Amino acid sequence: MPRNVREALILLVLLLDALGCGVVTPVLPTLVLSLSGNEAAAGRDIGLLNATYAAALFLFSPVQGRLSDRFGRRPFILLGLMGGLAHYVTAALTPSLWLLFAARLLGGLCGANAAAANAYMADIVPPDRRTAMFSCMGAAFGLGLGLGPGLGGLLGGLDPRLPFWMAAVLTGTTAILGWALLPESLQPGARRPLDWSAANPLAPLLSGGQTATARDLLAGIFLYVAGQTALQTTWVLFLRQSLGWGAAEVGLSLTVLGLVWGVAQLGLTPLVTRYLGDGRALLLGLTMTIVAYTLYGFVREGWQLYAVMAGTAAAFVTGPTAQGVLSRQAPPGRQGELQGLATSMTSLGAIAGPILGGASFGYLTSPEGSMAMPGGAFLVSTVLSLMTLGFAIRALSRERGEESRTTSGDAGQREIRRASALDHNDNGRVIMAFEDDAPCQVLANLSGRYSLWPLNHAIPDGWRAVGFSGPKADCMAYVDKVWTNILAQDRPAPSA
């Protein structure tokens, strides 16, 4: 199947999946209120439901990312869709709050298929086009989330459970399309052995298997999402209290925001990245995010709200450009692992953000307090975005440093050549000459080459440890298994 057709299928899957999520957004509070009995309890339960969903995503995303590295992307994309179908049907039929919690938990577990979808796109799209395609993915998701609340509001006026049935129909249709048309993207030769030690969602980050640049980007993703979800949590409350808006006006604002998101990612992101590159576009997006969050906090009229949305549309380039920069940090065979970890950081931010946003809104608007600043909660999002900008600047600075050390030949390779004599096997792997039983570790560089290096020696510039060590023979077997994309230029010339 042509690559552009597979790309279109993934985008369609994301659009329909997001539309299903958006449809239930405006009626979930009504359903919870009918099960909780009063508004105070409903507010608490909505927060716990959202935390349950995000926590399930956080715990299961890296597991699913690793499983997709071993068994392929397609099974987990389809499994997630089928689980989402079960989630919506259960929510539509539930007579009790605990069953609704169970449905949200299932939805979170199955929602982790975003890691497999991201890895699928990274598998089939060349590195120089990934940011553009991640932008299209963000646009499809944003369009679904933008159109969904309007449709959900109309259906919810008839029956608060009807939008859940609509979401089930949309998700079931997506699953059928995926099963019938979507091929596998990860070839058997590129799959990794299964490692259950990675079941800990933070294990790849804590083990040092990721580059320092990747760790900075992942920390930035956590802070960025925390700020974003803190704003989303207080959005409805702010508009009702500051502008006196009802459900119709609030729903319209969410739809317009989603449409601006989609249009900006489809039209603006490719233009900005073409002229500025991924790194500068990321910094521009974060800067505009900071401006937007700050201005939202001082909105007092409806036209001001929409003016800020339009004037700061460049803020929406942040997500796809961050994904594009992050995807470059994954060594061969570990794209799914890195995307799974990114999804976990997103989920962790989605747990922390609503708690922080709700607490700050309550404090700043409490009748017992001395302040009446409903928009002040948005300034918390501003602070978190400022911290994100700091991590992004450091990550991009590190990436430029790494690239400069690996240009003009291969600086890391020259470092190894200076350190010791080398021997080369017939597959072009580069191995430092030392005893077979000496403990060593596997290194990789930005160009995707692998090398063996003594375990207790300082790692040369431009190279990083991939997290595998042992006797020389075991390390060679590992390299033979993971280094499957050797090109002619990867074969080093014989030593003089």
Side-chain angles (χ1 to χ4, degrees):
M1 179 179 292
R3 187 179 66 200
N4 60 340
V5 176
R6 288 184 289 167
E7 292 171 358
L9 282 173
I10 285 291
L11 293 176
L12 180 62
V13 165
L14 287 174
L15 173 63
L16 294 178
D17 199 20
L19 192 61
C21 293
V23 161
V24 304
T25 300
V27 296
L28 182 60
T30 303
L31 179 59
V32 173
L33 180 60
S34 69
L35 298 174
S36 299
N38 61 77
E39 291 187 359
R44 175 203 65 203
D45 292 334
I46 290 171
L48 291 174
L49 280 168
N50 289 336
T52 298
Y53 184 88
L57 276 176
F58 167 67
L59 292 172
F60 197 63
S61 289
V63 176
Q64 192 165 120
R66 283 295 184 95
L67 289 172
S68 78
D69 281 341
R70 176 63 182 89
F71 298 106
R73 320 299 187 196
R74 185 176 185 271
F76 296 97
I77 294 173
L78 298 180
L79 180 64
L81 291 170
M82 295 305 297
L85 172 62
H87 157 227
Y88 291 129
V89 171
T90 303
L93 296 173
T94 181
S96 62
L97 191 61
W98 72 264
L99 194 57
L100 183 59
F101 269 94
R104 292 296 284 174
L105 178 63
L106 176 62
L109 291 174
C110 297
N113 70 344
N118 286 337
Y120 189 106
M121 195 63 85
D123 288 340
I124 65 175
V125 177
D128 61 339
R129 291 188 58 243
R130 284 179 187 166
T131 294
M133 288 312 304
F134 282 132
S135 174
C136 291
M137 293 173 75
F141 199 78
L143 186 61
L145 289 180
L147 296 176
L151 178 60
L154 292 174
L155 295 174
L158 302 174
D159 186 330
R161 295 177 186 260
L162 188 56
F164 289 93
W165 288 112
M166 175 57 70
V169 170
L170 290 168
T171 305
T173 301
T174 308
I176 292 172
L177 288 174
W179 176 79
L181 301 175
L182 192 68
E184 178 56 60
S185 66
L186 189 66
Q187 299 305 312
R191 299 181 185 183
R192 296 181 58 209
L194 193 59
D195 180 9
W196 285 111
S197 65
N200 178 356
L202 290 179
L205 184 64
L206 299 177
S207 67
Q210 306 297 338
T211 64
T213 302
R215 289 195 294 272
D216 280 344
L217 290 169
L218 291 166
I221 287 173
F222 164 74
L223 292 168
Y224 174 74
V225 173
Q228 187 179 61
T229 54
L231 181 140
Q232 292 169 351
T233 298
T234 58
W235 183 266
V236 175
L237 300 173
F238 168 75
L239 294 181
R240 287 182 174 179
Q241 186 162 339
S242 293
L243 304 183
W245 283 6
E249 293 90 347
V250 171
L252 178 61
S253 74
L254 291 172
T255 297
V256 172
L257 187 63
L259 291 175
V260 172
W261 181 12
V263 171
Q265 293 210 352
L266 280 175
L268 192 58
T269 301
L271 181 65
V272 171
T273 54
R274 185 181 306 121
Y275 287 100
L276 298 182
D278 291 352
R280 291 189 180 91
L282 173 59
L283 299 181
L284 172 65
L286 286 170
T287 300
M288 296 308 295
T289 298
I290 292 165
V291 172
Y293 289 172
T294 303
L295 293 178
Y296 282 141
F298 295 98
V299 163
R300 294 297 178 266
E301 300 288 342
W303 69 266
Q304 296 173 347
L305 183 77
Y306 291 113
V308 173
M309 286 185 192
T312 60
F316 295 116
V317 309
T318 302
T321 52
Q323 285 279 7
V325 174
L326 180 65
S327 70
R328 297 199 296 261
Q329 297 299 313
R334 300 182 70 174
Q335 189 68 242
E337 174 190 339
L338 185 58
Q339 294 296 340
L341 185 55
T343 304
S344 287
M345 293 297 99
T346 298
S347 301
L348 193 59
I351 296 171
I355 295 173
L356 185 58
S360 60
F361 185 88
Y363 174 76
L364 294 171
T365 60
S366 172
E368 294 80 15
S370 59
M371 293 182 287
M373 296 176 57
F378 290 171
L379 301 182
V380 174
S381 298
T382 299
V383 172
L384 292 172
S385 298
L386 280 167
M387 296 170 66
T388 304
L389 180 61
F391 276 105
I393 291 172
R394 188 167 74 170
L396 293 170
S397 176
R398 281 176 167 165
E399 186 180 49
R400 285 193 297 270
E402 290 168 354
E403 288 174 348
S404 67
R405 288 191 294 267
T406 54
T407 55
S408 301
D410 189 1
Q413 188 64 58
R414 291 197 304 271
E415 182 74 18
I416 292 179
R417 288 181 184 275
R418 284 196 296 268
S420 174
L422 299 170
D423 72 299
H424 314 283
N425 69 8
D426 58 358
N427 286 328
R429 275 74 165 173
V430 184
I431 311 113
M432 180 179 176
F434 51 90
E435 297 298 327
D436 287 345
D437 58 351
C440 63
Q441 58 184 320
V442 179
L443 306 184
N445 65 10
L446 288 178
S447 63
R449 297 182 181 182
Y450 285 81
S451 177
L452 306 192
W453 192 250
L455 186 59
N456 297 321
H457 286 215
I459 297 176
D461 289 342
W463 294 78
R464 63 177 185 82
V466 302
F468 188 92
S469 61
K472 182 177 177 180
D474 292 350
C475 290
M476 279 300 306
Y478 175 83
V479 171
D480 285 332
K481 188 174 297 183
V482 300
W483 196 7
T484 60
N485 61 338
I486 304 172
L487 303 176
Q489 59 265 33
D490 290 324
R491 303 180 186 276
S495 298

